[in-house]
Amino acid sequence: MTLPRKKIISANWKMNITASEVAPYLTTFLEEMKQIDGVDVILIPSFTSLPKTSELLTTTQGIRLGAQNISSYDKGAFTGEISASMLRDLFVHHVLIGHSERRHLFGETNAVIHEKMKMTLRNEMKPILCVGETLEERRTGKEKQVIEQQLREGLQDLSLDQIDNTMIAYEPVWAIGTGQTATVEQAQEAHFFIRSIITELSNISTSQKMRLHYGGSVTPHNAEELLSAPDIDGALVGSASLDPHSFAKIVLKAQST
Ligand code: 13P
């Protein structure tokens, strides 16, 4: 059973694009978006650029706001953390959780990631859970084991309704920021596997509805091929999203697949 799933393209700006750079970016990007229809777009700025992006997007249809991280704590004495209610206050709809940079550079474990998933869902935002193996894990044939564990621990004890409100991004660590994209076959195989685990954790209808992003060196040149694979429903774009023209080109490619 295959259901049509609307394509979704997300821009993870990471630690780039300051608040004062948001307006010029959006002027260009929104102009190019006028020709685009039938694709969902998520912009995921840094925390300090969220207010400006939120302000400029409020009247724009079809583009949603995401955050790059969330605190696993509710509120109080947690210096440097950003809470769910702070994000909701800025009309954030989506939260990236467990990005490989958070896992590998900032030591986030599957247990912390699971807390962040619950916090996001409790506050009526939608998590994008990032999973993916390192180069070493792929070389030693452990990629499926790693992905399965990240999914099972990240999604454990979530209700069906909560899983329905979740998206997954498959981002092989070796493909992020390296220019070394996964081949379409590698990416499709991983996405198919992810969907089969989602079926086990929920049911076939939920897993068929769930949109899965691929992330890792997506560019306007390789987006179309990747997005044509049956289980790849979107792209989570880092470097190529920093230029509004190149990000718009990727969205345009999604429209034609
Ligand atoms: P790049 O597109 O720069 O490889 O980054 C991918 C990524 O990590 C998106 O979250």
Side-chain angles (χ1 to χ4, degrees), residues 79-174:
T79 303
E81 290 286 275
I82 304 287
S83 73
S85 56
M86 291 168 180
L87 298 179
R88 287 209 46 178
D89 207 35
L90 293 170
F91 307 103
V92 166
H93 275 91
H94 299 274
V95 184
L96 270 190
I97 300 192
H99 190 280
S100 73
E101 287 145 20
R102 304 282 339 151
R103 291 178 188 268
H104 297 288
L105 301 174
F106 299 98
E108 283 191 13
T109 60
N110 284 331
V112 167
I113 287 162
H114 180 231
E115 290 304 311
K116 294 185 174 192
M117 291 290 295
K118 289 192 294 187
M119 180 60 79
T120 301
L121 287 159
R122 261 206 307 276
N123 286 277
E124 291 168 7
M125 294 179 287
K126 298 178 188 239
I128 304 172
L129 173 65
C130 302
V131 299
E133 78 286 358
T134 62
L135 186 57
E136 186 54 25
E137 286 159 350
R138 179 163 280 266
R139 278 209 186 112
T140 50
K142 294 205 186 88
E143 67 274 16
K144 290 205 171 114
Q145 190 187 320
V146 169
I147 294 169
E148 180 168 351
Q149 190 172 3
Q150 291 171 337
L151 287 171
R152 286 190 184 277
E153 293 186 21
L155 300 175
Q156 66 176 297
D157 304 328
L158 297 189
S159 67
L160 203 53
D161 189 47
Q162 288 178 318
I163 298 182
D164 272 333
N165 280 306
T166 295
M167 287 190 280
I168 308 291
Y170 169 62
E171 298 206 308
V173 180
W174 47 271

Side-chain angles (χ1 to χ4, degrees), residues 25-34 56-57 60 63:
Y25 181 105
L26 285 183
T27 305
T28 306
F29 181 64
L30 296 180
E31 184 58 35
E32 303 210 8
M33 280 300 96
K34 283 187 183 153
L56 295 175
L57 283 186
T60 311
I63 303 181

Side-chain angles (χ1 to χ4, degrees), residues 10-12 14 96 99-101 130 171 175-179 215-219 236-241:
S10 305
N12 177 7
K14 306 191 179 181
L96 270 190
H99 190 280
S100 73
E101 287 145 20
C130 302
E171 298 206 308
I176 296 177
T178 58
S217 299
V218 176
T219 66
L236 179 53
V237 188
S239 324
S241 74

Side-chain angles (χ1 to χ4, degrees), residues 51-63:
K52 191 73 194 170
T53 313
S54 179
E55 180 194 319
L56 295 175
L57 283 186
T58 42
T59 55
T60 311
Q61 286 292 323
I63 303 181

